[in-house]
């Protein structure tokens, strides 16, 4: 029943149910979770409290931690195409290990590959713009980004910028700690602690997992989950398993701490 409902939302949902088209990027019709189960905080969260409660032990969604209005204004569809349309970008496959890379002009990616996720495609056949950014060519954009102010002792930060269509995402994987911020669109997150290896196939898309595996999980085996929107930052600690699903065409940026 949940799979049928999500398919109906994908294909048949009337546009008034979808978020307004913002920044020129297409809205989607995928559903958010019934209830966000990731702890939430606001800009009053102190660095000391962040380190004590979240930095090494659990994820958190923080509202109002950054003010990226200027960066957001540069990330509309029209402005990014005008500034970077002819630049080549490196795309990764949307599977856990992302071995295959494909280079193409940014405009070609935006105009031809930002379609809703095809349910029949494997992760290895789905191309995704995230992470392989040329910091020389895109440096003028990244200079306008205001990263989350919290850092972990002994780490440095690195940005990964991405744009992806509705229904796309990366299946479960883990790495070091970091922050993720949505500039346009909505991104749904699924997270498990390091000791809980999720049930998934590394070459199945997150959407496929949500439709086929998620409904079969008993409540105690389901992940923490939450959808983040513009103005919110999600922090994930090191080695936490996580998968992502873009509910709309989304523009997003992560700050990895390593």
């Amino acid at each position: 029943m949940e799979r049928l409902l999500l398919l109906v939302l994908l294909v048949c949902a009337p546009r008034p149910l979808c978020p307004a088209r913002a920044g020129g990027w297409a809205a989607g019709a995928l559903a958010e979770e019934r209830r966000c189960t990731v702890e939430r905080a606001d800009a009053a969260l102190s660095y000391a409290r962040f380190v004590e409660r979240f930095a090494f032990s659990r994820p958190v969604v923080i509202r109002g931690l950054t003010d990226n209005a200027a960066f957001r204004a540069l990330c509309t569809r029209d402005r990014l195409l005008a500034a970077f349309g002819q630049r080549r970008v490196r795309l990764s496959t949307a599977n856990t290990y992302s071995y295959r890379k494909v280079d193409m002009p940014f405009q070609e990616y935006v105009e031809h590959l930002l379609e809703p996720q095809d349910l029949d495609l494997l992760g290895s056949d789905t191309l995704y713009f995230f992470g392989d950014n040329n910091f020389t060519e895109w440096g003028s954009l990244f200079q306008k980004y205001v990263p989350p102010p919290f850092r972990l002792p002994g780490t440095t930060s690195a940005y990964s910028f991405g744009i992806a269509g509705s229904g796309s995402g990366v299946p479960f994987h883990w790495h070091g700690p970091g922050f993720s911020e949505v500039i346009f669109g909505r991104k749904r997150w699924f997270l498990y602690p390091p000791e809980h290896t999720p049930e998934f196939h590394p070459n199945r898309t997150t959407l496929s997992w949500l439709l086929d595996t998620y409904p079969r999980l008993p409540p105690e085996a389901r992940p923490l989950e939450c959808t983040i929107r513009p103005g919110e930052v999600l922090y994930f600690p090191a080695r936490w398993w996580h998968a992502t699903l873009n509910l709309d065409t989304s523009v997003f940026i992560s700050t990895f701490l390593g």
Side-chain angles (χ1 to χ4, degrees):
M1 178 60 72
E2 287 191 47
R3 189 180 201 280
L4 178 59
L5 175 60
L6 191 53
L7 282 170
V8 169
L9 284 168
L10 255 175
V11 178
C12 305
R15 281 297 165 190
L17 293 180
C18 303
R21 184 183 178 102
W25 303 106
L30 285 168
E32 298 182 12
E33 68 286 342
R34 289 191 177 94
R35 181 175 66 88
C36 172
T37 53
V38 177
E39 192 165 340
R40 287 182 171 273
D42 59 27
L45 179 69
S46 68
Y47 177 68
R49 179 64 171 166
F50 168 76
V51 170
E52 173 193 7
R53 182 162 181 80
F54 302 110
F56 305 103
S57 59
R58 71 196 74 189
V60 60
V61 174
I62 311 171
R63 180 77 182 174
L65 186 62
T66 61
D67 180 1
N68 274 300
F71 182 73
R72 191 171 193 262
L74 297 175
C75 290
T76 64
R77 187 179 190 274
D78 288 346
R79 293 192 71 170
L80 283 180
L81 285 175
F84 302 103
Q86 302 310 308
R87 307 279 179 88
R88 297 186 72 80
V89 293
R90 175 155 293 178
L91 311 179
S92 303
T93 51
N95 51 356
T96 293
Y97 304 111
S98 297
Y99 289 136
R100 186 164 67 96
K101 306 289 185 180
V102 175
D103 293 344
M104 68 172 54
F106 178 63
Q107 183 165 344
E108 182 177 341
Y109 173 69
V110 170
E111 293 181 349
H112 299 292
L113 294 186
L114 282 185
E115 297 295 326
Q117 176 69 47
D118 186 332
L119 291 171
D120 295 325
L121 284 183
L122 294 173
S124 57
D125 298 320
T126 303
L127 293 172
Y128 191 81
F129 174 43
F130 176 58
D132 288 293
N133 308 127
N134 185 321
F135 283 86
T136 300
E137 294 189 342
W138 291 73
S140 60
L141 177 66
F142 297 143
Q143 288 173 6
K144 299 297 185 182
Y145 179 64
V146 179
F150 299 154
R151 292 290 181 270
L152 302 184
T155 65
T156 57
S157 59
Y159 297 151
S160 285
F161 178 71
I163 303 171
S166 174
S168 65
V170 178
F172 282 103
H173 61 287
W174 60 265
H175 43 68
F179 295 92
S180 178
E181 181 169 358
V182 171
I183 307 303
F184 286 106
R186 298 168 298 154
K187 183 183 286 285
R188 186 171 171 181
W189 281 72
F190 307 90
L191 304 106
Y192 283 104
E195 66 274 12
H196 187 144
T197 301
E199 178 186 344
F200 78 105
H201 188 289
N203 202 29
R204 298 285 298 277
T205 64
T206 304
L207 182 59
S208 173
W209 174 86
L210 181 64
L211 292 170
D212 297 328
T213 302
Y214 179 91
R216 295 188 286 102
L217 297 174
E220 66 274 11
R222 290 196 170 185
L224 294 178
E225 55 186 304
C226 198
T227 297
I228 61 171
R229 296 168 172 266
E232 296 178 327
V233 172
L234 181 139
Y235 170 78
F236 51 87
R239 302 181 68 88
W240 271 67
W241 290 94
H242 54 278
T244 58
L245 180 67
N246 296 297
L247 304 185
D248 310 304
T249 297
S250 299
V251 180
F252 46 92
I253 187 166
S254 292
T255 303
F256 294 117
L257 305 176

